[in-house]
Amino acid sequence: MSNEIEIGRGKRGRRAFSFDDVAVVPSRRTRDPEEVSVGWQIDAYHFDLPVLAAPMDSVMSPATAVALGQAGGLGVLDLEGLWTRYEDPTPLLAGIAALDPARATARMQEVYAAPIQPDLVSARLKEIRAAGVTVAGALSPQRTQELWRTVVDAGVDLFVIRGTTVSAEHVSGRAEPLNLKRFIYELDVPVIVGGASTYTAALHLMRTGAAGVLVGFGGGAAHTTRVSLGIHAPMATAVADVAAARRDYLDESGGRYVHVIADGGVGRSGDLVKAVACGADAVMLGAALARATEAPGRGWHWGPEAHHPHLPRGERVEVGTAGSLQEILFGPGHTADGTLNLIGALRRAMATTGYSDLKEFQRVEVVVSPYQPH
């Protein structure tokens, strides 16, 4: 049955769904939440939680990366952010949080115009490594060729190449683009790359040798990509499409499993549940962790799109402070809005539907059930 609808006589479009449009259905079996496993492993690295922190200055500092690592997740530091441009960015972070909305974008463009300092890239990664947690740093495709050696020499465990969208085939007449397949082949570090939002784009990224693919395009709380570029990928459909690419690539490659990581649109605990149900192995959280009392953004959240020097397609948004990192991940919850005890909610959803681990839970029944708030 076709999922296409007619937009007009000359154009058809495929219907796509966001996490709000779908719901998970209980099965015939239930379990105790304490007996459910939410751990996962990528390459040689095991994590107790299927949570990566988005590499955004409002979410991750070296200290919060360490705290998340100690809690069982993975903190990913933005290696093009304020922590690699300034010795002490704390006053600047406080200043961004206090900005008048009308001035926010222009001021952030000024602050982020300072050059990246390779010595600070090394220092920040070594600071995280000294704490004994898994070390991950993120670069955009444009900066990867310039800084990758510095990152690897500093001892990074997982290398993240993250952009609004990343393709395996970038065409440019001005400069030689990053050859992902050659780069990953020559790099002795597992690479997570994205975002991708379609079956075909994800399959091509998997063929480059990536260990994981980030799924998402313009779906985060701080993105304005849909209104500025007219591009958007509803996350439930995007994750399911990329999970299908993972399945087909597993057969094509003779058994090589590439992890699917939902990146965007996972603001609350129910979104996390539905991301895994649609096929994600883990989620990358931005706004959800920006609500922590320890978050550098002080209740505000923004990504690199918000301070692009020529075409900003994101903004600084107020997400508020919901509780400590511990409360956001493990509770106890004091509200019923899905901002606290994300892992407890995932455990309970898996237990309520009768699944014992994440890979099993990817097979749960899902229905299209558009959410209608009262």
Side-chain angles (χ1 to χ4, degrees), residues 9-85:
R9 291 190 179 188
K11 198 72 170 181
R12 297 180 66 84
R14 188 165 66 105
R15 187 184 298 275
F17 301 98
S18 69
F19 290 139
D20 280 344
D21 295 324
V22 302
V24 172
V25 180
S27 66
R28 63 182 177 84
R29 181 185 292 117
T30 56
R31 298 180 183 272
D32 291 333
E34 295 77 15
E35 297 177 4
V36 166
S37 170
V38 295
W40 75 299
Q41 181 160 329
I42 181 167
D43 204 83
Y45 302 97
H46 175 83
F47 301 96
D48 294 334
L49 311 179
V51 170
L52 297 81
M56 296 177 168
D57 281 339
S58 58
V59 179
M60 281 287 98
S61 65
T64 53
V66 169
L68 181 60
Q70 292 172 338
L74 177 65
V76 184
L77 191 66
D78 180 8
L79 301 180
E80 300 175 41
L82 297 180
W83 291 94
T84 60
R85 297 175 191 260

Side-chain angles (χ1 to χ4, degrees), residues 345-362:
L346 176 61
R347 286 184 177 277
R348 186 163 295 275
M350 293 170 64
T352 300
T353 53
Y355 293 89
S356 61
D357 61 45
L358 296 175
K359 280 194 168 54
E360 279 194 2
F361 189 57
Q362 291 170 349

